[in-house]
Each structure stands twice: as C-alpha cells, then as structure tokens.
Amino acid sequence: RLVTILVPDVLPADGASDAPVAAEGCEADRLAAQELNMLQASWQTAIEQELARQVTAAVRSGSCRAGACYRSWRTLAEVRMAVGPSWQHQRQDLVPEFSMDKLFSKESLEALSTRGLAQAALAYTLHCDPEAIDSEARKRLDAVYASLARRIRVQGRTAYVALDPGSPHSAGPEANSLVLLAMARADAEARDRYFAASSGSSL
C-alpha cells in the first residue's frame, strides 16, 4: 500500500534512500493488523460468553433441554455472518447449539426474516470464495437464494425486497442492503439462476 515516486530533480544529492520511510509504513501496517486481530479476539470471546450465558439461563429455567436449546435464529444468523462457517464455540457441549447445521435447519430457515436469511447466506459468502464453496453449502445457499428471490418486487425501473414472499411491504433499508450484498457475493451461477433478468425475480 506504500507507493514511493522517485523524481530525479528532487532526490538528495548524497543519494539517501527512502528505505526508513518505507520501513516505518510497514511497521505501522503490522501494528494496525495486530491491534485488529486483538480486537477480533476480544469480541469473539465476548460473543461466546454471552451465547453460553443465554443457553445456561434457558436450561436452568427448564424451558429447554441441553443440546437443543438455542432458538434465537436472528442472533445466530448475525453471529455466523460475523465469525464465518468454520467457527466453533470453545465449549464442546455448545458446539451443536450454534452450528451451521442448526442455522440452516428447516426450523431456522422458516423462522428467519428477510434480513436473517441474507445474513445466513453471508455467513458463507463473506468468508469463503463463492465459486469454491462445497456442494453441501451450495445446496443450503440455493434454498436461501430461492426464498430471497420470491421476496423481490419490481416496480418499473426500481425494485425492493419484501418482508416475506407474500407481502407487498418492504423489509426496510437495512434488510434490502443486506440482500443486495448477498446477491453481490453469490457465485455467478446462482446470480443467473435466481436474480438475473430471465429468472423469476426479473431483475
């Protein structure tokens, strides 16, 4: 990211090098990356602690049984969008509670809003090359893209994403932005199948 332009007329007479300046720039980049990694680790720890607290409270209240407790699908989609598909909770007994299998379960997909569905798709495509996703993930994404395509409403030269497949009402600017990002991150085949002009969504 550091570009040095050498102009002969203004170079120091003794031929002094720009190497110290470049070294300082590289060191600043290294420190910034280190701080970003530390921040990411801190936030991930905080997320894991809060998720564990919620499950523990639910189990103690008797409202669910351990291993099949977590049902906050919106939060699960948000967390997965942030941490990606390979993340696992540090507590092994909680791994199934927050797995990608659970996020893409029939119960979850039927309960998620337009916003949540876009976040579920982005849990894969923000962290993986969309063209290199395995067959199981592609099948899951196809189900989400098909559901999102049924929510697209075209009005003349404009379009928006609805609250649900049968609604004429917009899902709101945040949900529409996330769906647009999910569409942009989809692989070329999925974009052609679900969102191109020849598809049912008529975009």
Side-chain angles (χ1 to χ4, degrees):
R1 292 187 303 218
L2 179 65
V3 179
T4 302
I5 301 175
L6 301 180
V7 182
D9 290 344
V10 296
L11 283 177
D14 59 358
S17 171
D18 285 335
V21 176
E24 289 177 6
C26 292
E27 177 65 11
D29 285 350
R30 186 188 68 78
L31 291 174
Q34 187 178 54
E35 291 174 359
L36 183 61
N37 289 336
M38 292 173 60
L39 180 62
Q40 181 179 358
S42 297
W43 275 106
Q44 185 165 310
T45 299
I47 288 170
E48 291 185 352
Q49 290 175 347
E50 175 58 21
L51 291 175
R53 185 198 66 77
Q54 291 180 18
V55 171
T56 300
V59 171
R60 286 178 177 172
S61 70
S63 60
C64 63
R65 59 184 177 83
C69 195
Y70 201 74
R71 291 292 185 277
S72 181
W73 306 118
R74 172 179 174 171
T75 301
L76 182 56
E78 289 177 336
V79 168
R80 277 294 176 182
M81 182 181 72
V83 300
S86 60
W87 169 80
Q88 288 189 331
H89 201 284
Q90 289 187 351
R91 279 180 49 182
Q92 288 302 305
D93 60 315
L94 294 182
V95 169
E97 293 281 9
F98 311 111
S99 67
M100 293 295 283
D101 290 343
K102 192 165 185 180
L103 176 59
F104 283 87
S105 65
K106 184 173 184 292
E107 181 183 359
S108 172
L109 294 182
E110 289 180 349
L112 281 172
S113 64
T114 298
R115 176 177 180 270
L117 288 171
Q119 290 173 324
L122 291 167
Y124 277 117
T125 59
L126 277 182
H127 302 272
C128 311
D129 179 356
E131 303 292 343
I133 288 175
D134 62 44
S135 58
E136 178 61 28
R138 193 173 300 276
K139 188 185 305 181
R140 291 171 170 177
L141 288 170
D142 281 345
V144 171
Y145 293 148
S147 181
L148 292 176
R150 291 194 295 271
R151 300 162 192 250
I152 293 174
R153 306 288 181 264
V154 179
Q155 293 183 329
R157 299 173 64 181
T158 65
Y160 66 92
V161 185
L163 282 168
D164 58 62
S167 173
H169 304 294
S170 172
E174 182 180 355
N176 275 257
S177 298
L178 285 167
V179 171
L180 184 60
L181 179 57
M183 291 165 58
R185 291 294 301 169
D187 64 280
E189 181 181 347
R191 285 198 301 271
D192 289 343
R193 182 185 304 173
Y194 299 106
F195 308 116
S198 58
S199 68
S201 59
S202 300
L203 283 184

